[in-house]
Amino acid sequence: KNQVEQSPQSLIILEGKNCTLQCNYTVSPFSNLRWYKQDTGRGPVSLTIMTFSENTKSNGRYTATLDADTKQSSLHITASQLSDSASYICVVSDNAGNNRKLIWGLGTSLAVNP
Amino acid sequence: DTGVSQNPRHKITKRGQNVTFRCDPISEHNRLYWYRQTLGQGPEFLTYFQNEAQLEKSRLLSDRFSAERPKGSFSTLEIQRTEQGDSAMYLCASSQTSAGTNTQYFGPGTRLTVL
């Protein structure tokens, strides 16, 4: 069964600190992996997308890594800001070019405190 | 603002009433998706359009749900005879199939509460 699991379920950090969120998946065949940020009451916003051949991709203070062999991905947030408080969702596509086949993780809820 | 827009942002209705939501995608995007999201869960796929053609409907989309995209631009999602279990956030997303990775851009959602 295609699954995406994320850890931790929730995380609280102090402003300015770094953190790393984890995503493990069993989706096959694998097409691409995305990280979305979702603020409470808002739609998800794409942060990064990686295909099979990409190991790392950065978007400002967000850096995502992908190990397609172990089927693991991480999202590292550097120098956290209060506005980083949100749910971070890992999404895996199992069908190249057919993006309705998205398998969503349940997300990690991040709270950045002053 | 040239992103995906959805209206209304919030809707409160009584059980048994019909509701209709609207989604305006990014103008050059040919694909439009509808999702439903409940608290603490990821979005669940409902249906998607390529231009005006509805190419797939999830089993979650019961016969009380209908979606249209008559001119290949905006889309509407109608729920007839609403039930309390329909209470959720309804998200719309759009994408452009010629843009490589076909990233979906989401709207702010319509939060439906059925009393």
Side-chain angles (χ1 to χ4, degrees):
Chain A
K1 181 181 177 182
N2 286 336
Q3 286 186 313
V4 175
E5 295 182 347
Q6 293 187 242
S7 62
Q9 185 176 21
S10 62
L11 182 63
I12 301 173
I13 61 174
L14 293 176
E15 185 180 11
K17 297 297 185 181
N18 304 336
C19 67
T20 300
L21 314 180
Q22 300 291 340
C23 173
N24 297 334
Y25 62 93
T26 59
V27 179
S28 182
F30 172 84
S31 175
N32 56 64
L33 184 147
R34 310 156 192 265
W35 283 93
Y36 278 91
K37 177 187 179 186
Q38 186 172 23
D39 293 310
T40 301
R42 308 284 298 182
V45 174
S46 179
L47 295 176
T48 65
I49 179 169
M50 289 182 292
T51 58
F52 182 86
S53 60
E54 295 177 295
N55 300 121
T56 185
K57 184 165 283 189
S58 293
N59 177 2
R61 294 180 296 103
Y62 301 102
T63 299
T65 65
L66 174 64
D67 185 335
D69 292 330
T70 61
K71 298 187 177 180
Q72 296 179 326
S73 176
S74 66
L75 181 69
H76 186 74
I77 304 175
T78 304
S80 61
Q81 300 176 359
L82 299 179
S83 60
D84 292 332
S85 296
S87 180
Y88 291 84
I89 309 175
C90 176
V91 186
V92 180
S93 174
D94 73 345
N95 193 335
N98 183 6
N99 284 274
R100 66 185 186 275
K101 302 286 188 184
L102 298 180
I103 295 93
W104 294 74
L106 295 182
T108 293
S109 178
L110 174 65
V112 180
N113 290 341
Chain B
D1 187 350
T2 57
V4 178
S5 62
Q6 292 186 244
N7 289 289
R9 294 292 310 277
H10 304 274
K11 178 70 177 178
I12 299 174
T13 190
K14 293 182 179 179
R15 188 176 52 189
Q17 297 295 305
N18 299 342
V19 295
T20 300
F21 311 140
R22 175 176 171 130
C23 171
D24 287 89
I26 294 171
S27 59
E28 63 269 25
H29 284 185
N30 59 347
R31 282 195 175 172
L32 186 149
Y33 308 78
W34 284 99
Y35 292 87
R36 180 174 69 188
Q37 186 176 25
T38 53
L39 196 63
Q41 301 293 316
E44 298 172 296
F45 169 78
L46 294 178
T47 187
Y48 93 103
F49 294 83
Q50 180 150 321
N51 300 314
E52 66 275 9
Q54 189 174 16
L55 297 188
E56 184 175 347
K57 295 192 294 185
S58 163
R59 287 172 294 177
L60 294 173
L61 212 66
S62 75
D63 56 5
R64 296 185 298 106
F65 289 69
S66 63
E68 295 182 344
R69 195 184 184 196
K71 298 181 180 178
S73 56
F74 74 91
S75 175
T76 58
L77 177 68
E78 180 183 14
I79 308 174
Q80 296 181 329
R81 305 181 303 280
T82 52
E83 302 173 355
Q84 288 185 324
D86 297 332
S87 296
M89 173 79 86
Y90 289 84
L91 293 166
C92 174
S94 70
S95 69
Q96 175 56 259
T97 51
S98 64
T101 55
N102 199 13
T103 294
Q104 295 182 26
Y105 295 85
F106 284 82
T110 294
R111 179 165 294 285
L112 172 66
T113 301
V114 181
L115 302 176

